[in-house]
Amino acid sequence: MSTTLRPASTMATQTTHPLGEQVAKETGRATPGLKKIAPYWYPYTTMAKGRWLGREILEVVSTEFRDRSMEFYRYALESGVTTINGKVAKPDTIVQNGDRIENVSHRHEPPVTSTPVRIVLHDKERQFIVIDKPGSIPVHAAGRYFRNSLVEILKNDFGFEKVYTVNRLDRLTSGLMILPLNSALANTLSREFVNGEVKKEYVARCKGEFPEEEITCEEPLLTVDRQMGLNIVHPEGKPAKTIFKRIRYDANTDTSVLQCRPQTGRSHQIRVHLQYLGHPIANDPIYSDPRIWGENLGKGGIDLVPSDERAAPQAPAHSGFQFDASTNPESISRPMGNAPATDSNEGEDPRPKLLPRETGHDIGMGSPVPLSAEAVGIITRLRNMKDEDEDWGRWRDVVFRAKGALAPHGFTIPLPPQNKRKRGGPALSSVTPQSDTAATPVVEADVEPLKDQLTVEDVAELATRMSLESSASAATSEVSTPDPTPPPVAESSAVAPETDENGMQYCPECFVPLHPDPKPESLYIFLHALKYTTSLGTFETQMPEWAAEGWEWDR
């Protein structure tokens, strides 16, 4: 059976679903063009990854995550809120194979576009849906994203409790996704994608005048930095093949609209192949910025000769933040001064151990190959650009120095064993945490949280408790269970942000520096999954607005 989906006005088979609220409230106001979610406390569990084994937890946290300063991560760990296998971990605790790491995190989800996810088709008989995903929305919960991920939006706004993401799109990429609703169909469709049996067609707008003839790029691709999501052409990468055909060239913007047909499914495949050909996607924040790649923009690839040269992280001069050794929030190994020699320390180096992030050697730790000096420079500049976009929040992450320990609302640490987190179990604490356990979240895991951490009944009870926090009696009384629609989180109280003497704002609960809102037009790139042909049929969305002839955008 073949089903071709056209614009909504001609789709008789489309099943529509009511949208949930698309613009969340923050301090009572919605920002046009953005969907925002108020911060919330969130418990999660993650298992130790292979690359973490044998390393101190502080080293793991500070190299895997960059949202907070080095000094904050040590402060958080010393507060005793990270547990490994149910026991409180300290900064020098070694991660072992099979370890279960648990935390409660105060999530500040980045805004996403207010453009809603569109259900193009819901085939109830064959149990799958076809959607049109806007750019800016990640498919899975990862990093700082949870509620604003596609899987959670489909569950909370559309009622699809379980979808199988057999094909994925980058967060910044928009377009078509086919999502089975049962495991059998998911297995079938997954095999089609893996075996290259699915015909995929994308549309992109790239820089410059792309050649008129059809161009095939077959350069292998390799992921060299997970944090920045950086991929490069490398001989030790995975095989990749993309066929490009120019649709038109727009002289008014010096850009070309292309048809892109990827024959494989590598991460950032179309984006990196276009960069290699000298025509990166026109608004790609990673692969088309001359401040990162130079005027050549990575055409023909980069130097691959390995280099061990690294430099300790410093705030760029134009950031306005300059530190000495005693104040740098990215350095936690303070000089110990001229301590007198004793029998116990004679002959020892008085300097504390430097962690990889303090020396710059965290760059490349996750790479499968040694990095060149050019690659290290690119990653460093990408990090600095991200810091600048977030108002240098990581460099002004010092307010916690004058604060007490954080108190995650409604949770005790360590969390109860998972087999005791059933209805009526002690998953929730009193809303007034005990002083020896109340502290701060540490790690934001990059895996989807385990489903049995808190039951929906626990969540509903917690949400009700939080709304009654001001009443001492409500903290101990039994409460009725409301409709269990929220995800497993505890909403933060509506407290205005704190402001320091320089006018910079901070979260009053976890003291994270608050970032300015992004411009809605910066939340997507000119790359759209237009058409898929599978055994289920042929499915197609409308052309994106930016693909229209003569279209211009604010740069």
Side-chain angles (χ1 to χ4, degrees), residues 215-233:
I215 300 292
T216 299
C217 185
E218 298 188 70
E219 298 296 330
L221 303 178
L222 187 68
T223 301
V224 294
D225 190 88
R226 286 189 330 103
Q227 289 182 343
M228 293 292 100
L230 180 66
N231 295 265
I232 62 173
V233 168

Side-chain angles (χ1 to χ4, degrees), residues 12 20 25 57 152 155 165 173 215 267 271 277 308 347 389 435 512 523 547:
K25 294 184 292 182
I57 186 67
E152 291 300 311
K155 179 168 65 176
T165 54
T173 304
I215 300 292
S267 179
R271 299 165 69 180
L277 294 173
D308 293 328
D389 290 343
S435 60
V512 64
L523 295 177

Side-chain angles (χ1 to χ4, degrees), residues 139-350:
V139 173
H140 290 288
R144 287 183 286 170
Y145 294 91
F146 178 64
R147 285 176 168 179
N148 275 340
S149 65
L150 177 67
V151 171
E152 291 300 311
I153 290 172
L154 290 174
K155 179 168 65 176
N156 298 321
D157 290 356
F158 297 93
F160 293 106
E161 287 295 324
K162 179 66 176 178
V163 296
Y164 294 82
T165 54
V166 295
N167 79 297
R168 305 177 187 181
L169 297 177
D170 295 338
R171 178 174 61 86
L172 299 178
T173 304
S174 61
L176 197 77
M177 289 184 66
I178 305 172
L179 303 169
L181 302 178
N182 64 67
S183 58
L185 182 57
N187 289 334
T188 298
L189 203 55
S190 292
R191 285 194 296 270
E192 292 183 28
F193 276 100
V194 170
N195 295 335
E197 298 169 2
V198 177
K199 294 182 179 179
K200 297 172 285 187
E201 182 179 327
Y202 288 66
V203 62
R205 182 179 285 273
C206 70
K207 287 188 173 184
E209 185 173 1
F210 197 85
E212 289 189 16
E213 66 272 14
E214 185 173 275
I215 300 292
T216 299
C217 185
E218 298 188 70
E219 298 296 330
L221 303 178
L222 187 68
T223 301
V224 294
D225 190 88
R226 286 189 330 103
Q227 289 182 343
M228 293 292 100
L230 180 66
N231 295 265
I232 62 173
V233 168
H234 197 285
E236 296 188 30
K238 296 180 179 179
K241 180 180 180 180
T242 315
I243 302 171
F244 299 100
K245 178 65 177 177
R246 192 176 91 184
I247 298 174
R248 78 175 65 87
Y249 169 67
D250 286 337
N252 60 320
T253 57
D254 188 28
T255 59
S256 301
V257 177
L258 310 177
Q259 177 199 63
C260 315
R261 289 180 286 135
Q263 308 299 295
T264 51
R266 308 304 177 204
S267 179
H268 294 190
Q269 176 174 320
I270 294 174
R271 299 165 69 180
V272 180
H273 274 174
L274 281 174
Q275 182 198 43
Y276 184 85
L277 294 173
H279 297 277
I281 291 174
N283 67 339
D284 194 320
I286 295 181
Y287 300 106
S288 70
D289 193 330
R291 295 174 299 173
I292 305 300
W293 301 88
E295 293 304 318
N296 199 41
L297 290 177
K299 180 179 180 180
I302 64 172
D303 175 56
L304 302 177
V305 178
S307 171
D308 293 328
E309 293 184 11
R310 300 290 189 274
Q314 291 290 339
H318 67 279
S319 70
F321 293 92
Q322 297 299 314
F323 305 94
D324 57 31
S326 65
T327 60
N328 190 345
E330 283 296 276
S331 176
I332 60 173
S333 301
R334 308 292 189 221
M336 298 178 65
N338 296 319
T342 65
D343 291 341
S344 60
N345 67 13
E346 186 175 358
E348 294 182 2
D349 189 340

Side-chain angles (χ1 to χ4, degrees), residues 409-410 431 461-470 490-493:
H409 293 304
V431 296
E461 180 187 354
L462 178 57
T464 302
R465 279 172 145 180
M466 290 306 303
S467 67
L468 300 175
E469 183 176 4
S470 59
E491 300 294 351
S492 297
S493 55

Side-chain angles (χ1 to χ4, degrees), residues 302-427:
I302 64 172
D303 175 56
L304 302 177
V305 178
S307 171
D308 293 328
E309 293 184 11
R310 300 290 189 274
Q314 291 290 339
H318 67 279
S319 70
F321 293 92
Q322 297 299 314
F323 305 94
D324 57 31
S326 65
T327 60
N328 190 345
E330 283 296 276
S331 176
I332 60 173
S333 301
R334 308 292 189 221
M336 298 178 65
N338 296 319
T342 65
D343 291 341
S344 60
N345 67 13
E346 186 175 358
E348 294 182 2
D349 189 340
R351 294 171 300 177
K353 169 188 174 183
L354 292 175
L355 297 182
R357 183 159 143 184
E358 295 181 273
T359 64
H361 284 82
D362 60 319
I363 296 180
M365 287 188 68
S367 173
V369 298
L371 297 183
S372 66
E374 184 176 2
V376 171
I378 289 168
I379 293 170
T380 300
R381 292 188 290 273
L382 281 170
R383 290 182 173 187
N384 290 339
M385 186 178 69
K386 181 176 184 293
D387 288 345
E388 184 172 5
D389 290 343
E390 295 181 347
D391 199 24
W392 309 105
R394 189 166 58 88
W395 292 100
R396 54 186 178 91
D397 189 11
V398 295
V399 169
F400 64 88
R401 293 173 179 171
K403 304 292 184 179
L406 302 184
H409 293 304
F411 299 98
T412 56
I413 296 179
L415 296 171
Q418 293 179 4
N419 60 3
K420 294 185 179 180
R421 299 178 199 175
K422 304 298 182 182
R423 183 193 298 265

